[in-house]
Amino acid sequence: MLRSAGCVFAEDETQLLVSEAQSLEDLTKKVEMRVDGLPLEYVIGWAPFCGLRIVVERGVFVPRQRTEFLVRQAEELACSGDLVVDLCCGSGAIGAALAAAMGDIMLYGSDIDHIAIRCARKNVTTFGGHIFKGDLFHALPRWMKGRINILVANVPYVPTKAIELLPLEARLYEPNLALDGGGDGLNILRRVVKEAPDWLAVGGHLLIETSEMQATQTFEIFTNSGLATKVVRDAERDATVVIGTNSGDSPPSL
């Protein structure tokens, strides 16, 4: 059934659905949902990410494999005991993966969507993480200002007009709020970068995933905020991450 419905990895998906089903009736229901086009991650209730099973519900952004590159870059910069914040955390996958890899970090995240908040709390609580509901930095307690060591953000970066070019599953089932980055795709990113220097500790790092096409413009946005900036890329994953470091000389945001 899955093959005839157009599922590219029908055999692998069938094995996964069989292993996750609680009964024959449950398996039939799961197969029907998948045949109807519901993303596999929503059908089984989780997505693989950095070796973890990340809980996802219908309506939350499904973590992409390319974002594992962002996690690895942050892991290389993080130290034991660091204050780590995941903005636009979605399911909480990035924070959970960092906590699993690092162990002893102080993990916080924020998102504006209630479904994302619910999923993120399920995924980070195991690691002692805390999730706040609200718009970017406005969700965070004031005591964090100037103290964040690692600030990660997989913000929406798809240009509005490019949304219609995304795979059908993303357009139909994932929240537009988690995809649409405005005219050039960088509206939310600009907001994060503008305020980041006020929140980062001296020597703290901001890491944001972007596209290869947007990397040059993103680099300029970072440097204009006074951050020492570099771009790193994994061509195999088609993953691009811009990293900015607070040298302590960054001008305060207005």
Side-chain angles (χ1 to χ4, degrees):
M1 289 181 66
L2 295 183
R3 176 66 69 186
S4 61
C7 296
V8 178
F9 304 104
E11 289 77 13
D12 293 338
E13 290 192 16
T14 297
Q15 292 180 8
L16 186 55
L17 291 172
V18 169
S19 67
E20 292 295 316
Q22 303 299 311
S23 64
L24 180 58
E25 181 181 2
D26 185 39
L27 175 60
T28 301
K29 181 180 178 181
K30 282 180 165 57
V31 170
E32 289 175 349
M33 288 191 293
R34 185 67 184 115
V35 168
D36 287 341
L38 191 68
L40 178 65
E41 294 84 359
Y42 293 155
V43 175
I44 62 177
W46 59 273
F49 188 76
C50 292
L52 302 176
R53 286 192 175 197
I54 299 298
V55 174
V56 294
E57 297 179 17
R58 183 168 177 169
V60 73
F61 181 78
V62 176
R64 304 322 198 233
Q65 295 304 300
R66 75 167 65 92
T67 307
E68 293 186 355
F69 183 60
L70 172 62
V71 173
R72 299 310 175 211
Q73 296 303 309
E75 185 182 344
E76 289 181 7
L77 296 170
C79 298
S80 177
D82 273 357
L83 174 57
V84 177
V85 174
D86 181 7
L87 288 184
C88 297
C89 67
S91 65
I94 296 173
L98 273 172
M102 296 295 300
D104 183 23
I105 61 173
M106 296 179 288
L107 175 63
Y108 296 86
S110 72
D111 204 286
I112 201 168
D113 181 74
H114 70 280
I115 299 176
I117 291 294
R118 185 164 62 240
C119 290
R121 285 176 175 159
K122 292 177 181 178
N123 288 312
V124 308
T125 300
T126 304
F127 303 103
H130 304 275
I131 302 295
F132 302 107
K133 187 175 188 298
D135 185 23
L136 302 178
F137 295 101
H138 294 290
L140 304 180
R142 300 296 99 179
W143 65 261
M144 288 187 185
K145 265 200 163 182
R147 297 185 178 183
I148 299 175
N149 304 110
I150 301 291
L151 178 59
V152 292
N154 187 14
V155 302
Y157 60 86
V158 181
T160 302
K161 290 184 178 180
I163 296 289
E164 61 187 26
L165 304 177
L166 292 176
L168 187 63
E169 289 185 356
R171 287 187 280 117
L172 289 181
Y173 296 103
E174 292 187 306
N176 186 265
L177 186 70
L179 301 170
D180 192 345
D184 62 357
L186 300 174
N187 285 1
I188 309 300
L189 183 146
R190 286 187 182 90
R191 292 179 55 204
V192 172
V193 177
K194 180 181 179 181
E195 290 193 55
D198 293 338
W199 290 83
L200 289 171
V202 174
H205 307 284
L206 168 66
L207 301 94
I208 297 185
E209 179 178 295
T210 190
S211 71
E212 184 178 16
M213 290 181 62
Q214 295 165 317
T216 298
Q217 194 173 357
T218 301
F219 179 91
E220 293 175 355
I221 293 170
F222 270 58
T223 56
N224 288 341
S225 286
L227 299 171
T229 307
K230 67 176 181 177
V231 178
V232 291
R233 177 160 173 78
D234 183 334
E236 185 177 342
R237 284 193 176 102
D238 188 25
T240 303
V241 173
V242 179
I243 304 173
T245 302
N246 181 20
S247 63
D249 299 324
S250 304
S253 60
L254 300 178

